[in-house]
Amino acid sequence: MDIRHPQVEVTLNQFPDRIEVTIVHHADGPSVGLHTLLRAGANPMEGVDRVQYEKKADSSITRLTKFLGPHA
C-alpha cells in the first residue's frame, strides 16, 4: 500500500466455470505477490487454483481464481 493511495478495490465475479476475485491497488510501484507475503505457510492459498499478477498504468492487479466443476 502507498500512503498516497491507501485504498484497494476488490471485485468478485462468478462465471459458469470459475469464481474470480480481483484486487486492484493504485500505486506507482509493482505489486508484491501474495506468495512473497505468505511464503512461510506450506500451502497459504489452499482453495485457490490460480494466482495472477498484472501491472496496468498506475495500478497493480492480483487475480485469484477458483475453478468450479471438473477443473476443481
Side-chain angles (χ1 to χ4, degrees):
M1 300 269 295
D2 185 321
I3 191 86
R4 296 169 293 172
H5 307 284
Q7 300 170 338
V8 296
E9 297 171 31
V10 178
T11 305
L12 175 68
N13 290 301
Q14 185 167 357
F15 299 94
D17 64 336
R18 68 192 183 282
I19 297 172
E20 290 183 355
V21 176
T22 304
I23 305 162
V24 180
H25 172 228
H26 299 282
D28 298 329
S31 177
V32 174
L34 290 175
H35 64 280
T36 301
L37 298 174
L38 302 172
R39 187 175 300 183
N43 189 3
M45 298 302 294
E46 185 174 340
V48 175
D49 297 319
R50 180 171 64 194
V51 179
Q52 297 170 292
Y53 308 102
E54 184 178 349
K55 178 79 174 133
K56 285 189 176 179
D58 65 345
S59 298
S60 293
I61 302 166
T62 301
R63 186 170 294 110
L64 309 174
T65 303
K66 173 64 180 173
F67 291 105
L68 305 173
H71 295 288

